[in-house]
Amino acid sequence: MKTSTGKSILKKDVLINAPLNLVWHAWTNSDRVSKWFAPITVVEPKEGGAFELYFNPENVEGMNTKGCKIKRFVPTKQLEFTWKGPDQFASIMNNQDDLTLVNVLFEEEEEKTKVTLEHFGWGFGAAWEEAFKWHEMAWHGALGSLKSALEKGEGELCCQPE
């Protein structure tokens, strides 16, 4: 699908000065995801597993990706999951049978990791255009948060999971 401006994929890249395995764990372990993305997370690292983020711990019914699932799971290479938009776009983005898709690719580049995020499934019209623009900003912020958290070199994100 394309938005009214002809955009069909929202794509963001970030190069993180951290080993691939730590970046992968930051996306696929609930306790790690909660350190940089959302305070409450349920990530079941397998195809068909949950990819649920709860952005407001005081209101878990709003601002969440409840019901989202991992569609593709290729260890240290690819993580693809369904996605719900924030509450203001719920009427267009949060129909469980027609969710957008987020595909995250991981690539080792010497001592660093390149993360490429592709968000698919955008519809037509002004509301979709607004949702696309909102997600451009949100994904930029999320990837920046991930990069910052991993490059600090401290805390759980910088250690191998047990």
Side-chain angles (χ1 to χ4, degrees), residues 28-136:
T28 58
N29 291 5
S30 291
D31 63 329
R32 304 291 173 96
V33 179
S34 67
K35 303 292 183 220
W36 66 274
F37 205 164
I40 300 173
T41 63
V42 179
V43 178
E44 297 169 337
K46 63 183 179 183
E47 287 188 16
F51 197 87
E52 299 181 348
L53 309 177
Y54 298 86
F55 295 96
N56 182 353
E58 295 170 17
N59 177 14
V60 295
E61 295 306 313
M63 296 302 283
N64 67 63
T65 64
K66 184 177 181 179
C68 288
K69 300 284 183 194
I70 295 174
K71 300 301 239 177
R72 188 166 293 137
F73 187 86
V74 182
T76 70
K77 300 214 181 301
Q78 181 182 20
L79 175 66
E80 184 179 82
F81 47 89
T82 55
W83 187 257
K84 288 182 174 180
D87 293 351
Q88 67 264 38
F89 304 117
S91 64
I92 60 169
M93 292 189 73
N94 297 358
N95 175 353
Q96 197 63 41
D97 297 327
D98 192 28
L99 298 175
T100 58
L101 269 178
V102 175
N103 186 41
V104 186
L105 301 168
F106 302 81
E107 187 178 344
E108 193 168 30
E109 292 188 0
E110 297 175 14
E111 301 293 314
K112 299 176 182 180
T113 304
K114 180 181 178 184
V115 176
T116 301
L117 182 140
E118 303 167 321
H119 193 159
F120 301 88
W122 303 98
F124 294 98
W128 278 103
E129 186 66 28
E130 188 178 335
F132 187 95
K133 288 178 183 173
W134 188 93
H135 280 84
E136 279 185 311

